[in-house]
Amino acid sequence: MKRSMYLNERKKLQDLCVNDHNDELLTNHSFNFVSAHLSNFIPHLKVSEHAQIFQEILFHQKLSWLDIQFENIPDLVSVNGLTNSLLSQIKTKPAVLCTFHLGSIRLLNLMLGHYGIKFALILSEAAIAEYQDIYLEIYKKHNCYGANGSFTIISAQSPSAALQMLKAVKRGESLLLYVDGNTGTGKTNLTNERLLKVNFLAESIHARTGAAYIAHLANIPLITAASFRNSLDDIQIKFFEPMCPDSEPDREEFISKAIRLTYEQLSNLVQCYPGQWETWLSLHRFIKPELFNQPEKRYDKIAHKKFYSFNLDKFGLFMVDLKCYLFDKRKYQGIEISNELYHTLKSCINAKINRSEIEANIIDQLTQKGVLA
């Protein structure tokens, strides 16, 4: 794709995703989950900022695909932390490269190819089925398979995934893994022993530990690399200091330290670029179960009040399969409500509603739960 076409398509995406302010967004199912995540994990953000961040997420999600179709995209990329010494180390000895669904999430793959680094990309089966041919075609166009470079794909859900990764390492290939989950995968089992509870932003989540496990098993460094945008034409890829297994012989201790540090690095980046993290769309798969069991807070009845507003800080509204739900953002719990009540509550998201428009017993319940204020 030539530059003029790339810029034109990018502008169309921006107008579609970011500049189009739609009131219906506030009752979008995905938006409500993202708003709940933002409320719980970055509580200092105002709820009025959530819609803009949600639109930015969708924009960057689509832009990451457009980026890798632009033939001169490397010209927009600045790589930091990849010293000549570290580059030489990765070329001569494989490493586990951890990255995130942040920024232009597929550019790291291209840049590794441009640097002549051999690597295997670890993806979910769903992602492989949907994207493998696209990846291979685009990377071929970018000439990522030169004399020194190579690129293979391994299914993370294959029973022999660990063995395939170890074989790739023996062939001299580094391993590239997205450690913050995959938006194309199914439900995550939060009781899985390979998940580690880690602090993340203002809360905690259950993080996959496979990257650190493989690094220690193969005795190769674990290196975090992240992409983010300072502006549309200023894309950064940052490499962090390698974490080496020989510094911590105990495998479980290494895994714990490495994953916690990796999520600390991600936390700092997401604080700065919340609208560039795609995993907001699926973060509820990795949230600690305790969040779903918060004791219900009761609010004092507001006597003699004539007008009420919907409490968008704590609740949301959406429809699924023609059923209407009141959504508790703290509990991540949808409560089915009548179509009539749904539309009544929807009408007071952006405007106050007269008490006379709702039955007295219902309005008492809603005010005591904090739905109306």
Side-chain angles (χ1 to χ4, degrees), residues 1 36 57 134 138 182 263 270 294 300 325 346 363 371:
M1 181 183 290
I57 294 165
I134 300 174
I138 289 176
N182 188 305
Y263 270 85
V270 172
Q294 294 293 316
D300 293 334
Y325 293 92
K346 183 179 177 181
I363 209 163
V371 177

Coordinates of all heavy atoms in Angstrom, one line a residue, residues 1 36 57 134 138 182 263 270 294 300 325 346 363 371:
M1 N 0.8 -1.2 0.0 CA 0.0 0.0 0.0 C 0.9 1.3 0.0 O 1.8 1.4 0.8 CB -0.9 0.0 1.2 CG -1.8 1.2 1.3 SD -2.8 1.2 2.8 CE -3.9 -0.2 2.5
A36 N -16.7 -0.6 32.7 CA -16.5 -1.3 34.0 C -15.1 -1.5 34.3 O -14.6 -1.2 35.4 CB -17.3 -2.6 34.0
I57 N -9.9 2.6 21.3 CA -9.5 1.2 21.3 C -9.9 0.6 20.0 O -9.1 -0.2 19.3 CB -10.2 0.4 22.5 CG1 -9.7 0.9 23.8 CG2 -10.0 -1.1 22.3 CD1 -10.6 0.5 25.0
I134 N -3.2 -14.2 6.1 CA -3.0 -12.8 6.0 C -1.6 -12.5 6.5 O -0.8 -11.7 5.9 CB -4.0 -12.0 6.9 CG1 -5.4 -12.4 6.3 CG2 -3.8 -10.5 6.8 CD1 -6.5 -11.7 7.2
I138 N 1.3 -10.8 4.1 CA 1.8 -9.5 4.4 C 3.3 -9.5 4.7 O 4.1 -8.6 4.3 CB 1.0 -8.8 5.5 CG1 -0.4 -8.5 5.0 CG2 1.7 -7.6 6.1 CD1 -1.3 -8.0 6.1
N182 N -5.6 -13.1 24.5 CA -5.9 -13.0 23.1 C -7.4 -12.8 22.9 O -8.2 -13.6 23.4 CB -5.5 -14.3 22.3 CG -5.6 -14.1 20.8 OD1 -6.6 -13.8 20.3 ND2 -4.5 -14.4 20.2
Y263 N 4.0 -7.4 34.0 CA 2.7 -6.7 34.2 C 2.9 -5.4 34.8 O 2.0 -4.5 34.6 CB 1.7 -7.6 34.9 CG 0.9 -8.5 34.0 CD1 1.4 -9.7 33.6 CD2 -0.3 -8.1 33.5 CE1 0.7 -10.5 32.6 CE2 -1.0 -8.8 32.6 CZ -0.5 -10.0 32.2 OH -1.2 -10.8 31.3
V270 N -0.1 1.2 30.0 CA -1.6 1.3 29.9 C -2.1 2.6 30.6 O -3.0 3.3 30.2 CB -2.3 0.1 30.4 CG1 -3.8 0.3 30.5 CG2 -2.0 -1.1 29.5
Q294 N -18.8 -8.7 45.4 CA -18.7 -7.6 46.3 C -20.1 -7.5 47.0 O -21.2 -7.6 46.4 CB -18.5 -6.3 45.5 CG -17.1 -6.3 44.8 CD -16.0 -6.2 45.9 OE1 -16.1 -5.4 46.8 NE2 -15.0 -7.0 45.7
D300 N -29.1 5.5 51.0 CA -30.3 6.1 51.7 C -31.3 6.5 50.7 O -31.0 7.0 49.6 CB -29.9 7.2 52.5 CG -29.0 6.8 53.7 OD1 -29.1 5.6 54.1 OD2 -28.2 7.6 54.2
Y325 N -30.9 -5.4 29.9 CA -30.1 -5.7 31.2 C -29.7 -4.3 31.8 O -29.3 -3.4 31.1 CB -28.9 -6.5 30.9 CG -29.2 -7.9 30.5 CD1 -29.3 -8.2 29.1 CD2 -29.4 -8.9 31.4 CE1 -29.6 -9.5 28.7 CE2 -29.7 -10.2 31.0 CZ -29.8 -10.5 29.7 OH -30.1 -11.8 29.3
K346 N -32.9 4.5 30.1 CA -32.0 5.0 29.0 C -32.3 6.5 28.8 O -31.4 7.2 28.5 CB -32.3 4.2 27.8 CG -31.5 4.6 26.6 CD -31.8 3.7 25.4 CE -31.0 4.2 24.1 NZ -31.4 3.3 22.9
I363 N -38.9 3.2 42.0 CA -38.0 4.2 42.1 C -37.3 4.2 43.5 O -36.1 4.5 43.6 CB -38.6 5.6 42.0 CG1 -37.6 6.6 41.4 CG2 -39.3 6.2 43.2 CD1 -38.2 7.9 40.8
V371 N -28.9 3.1 41.6 CA -29.0 3.2 40.1 C -29.5 4.6 39.7 O -29.0 5.1 38.7 CB -30.1 2.2 39.6 CG1 -30.3 2.3 38.1 CG2 -29.6 0.8 40.0

